[in-house]
Amino acid sequence: MQEITPTELSKLEQAVIIDVREADEVAVASVPGARHLPMSSFLDHLDEVPREETVYVMCHSGGRSARVTGYLEQQGYDAVNVTGGISEWAASGLPVERPADAG
């Protein structure tokens, strides 16, 4: 399985990031520009995952995203697991949107 750290991912231009956390988790914090496709209904949204681009899959800490990355690889997608997920992303000082704090 291909993997990338959040710091390495943040240096890529126009990366397609898929966040497989559930809605209540995304409501607390998210990576700017990430597409939210929750793991609980991921297969219902598989057609939203681009086949022609590398997709970077993340979750809270890397476990769920590893499972989804493995599935996508089996289906012929170029998928990369983001190690450490949004936890590592935030701990690395990378930008995080916090919609719960808005307003």
Side-chain angles (χ1 to χ4, degrees):
M1 175 182 305
Q2 298 181 79
E3 295 184 320
I4 191 169
T5 68
T7 301
E8 293 168 331
L9 176 58
S10 71
K11 295 175 185 176
L12 300 179
E13 292 184 29
Q14 299 183 356
V16 176
I17 302 172
I18 297 174
D19 187 340
V20 298
R21 295 175 304 140
E22 298 303 317
D24 59 328
E25 296 172 282
V26 174
V28 175
S30 63
V31 171
R35 297 180 189 179
H36 177 227
L37 302 176
M39 186 172 176
S40 63
S41 60
F42 189 80
L43 294 181
D44 295 336
H45 299 278
L46 191 57
D47 61 332
E48 297 176 38
V49 179
R51 283 194 172 271
E52 67 281 354
E53 299 178 67
T54 300
V55 294
Y56 299 89
V57 185
M58 70 183 322
C59 63
H60 180 74
S61 60
R64 288 174 285 180
S65 60
R67 290 192 293 277
V68 170
T69 299
Y71 175 80
L72 288 172
E73 287 178 336
Q74 289 174 356
Q75 300 304 310
Y77 289 84
D78 184 14
V80 180
N81 184 47
V82 181
T83 60
I86 195 166
S87 293
E88 182 64 30
W89 182 280
S92 298
L94 298 168
V96 174
E97 293 176 345
R98 298 190 185 276
D101 296 338

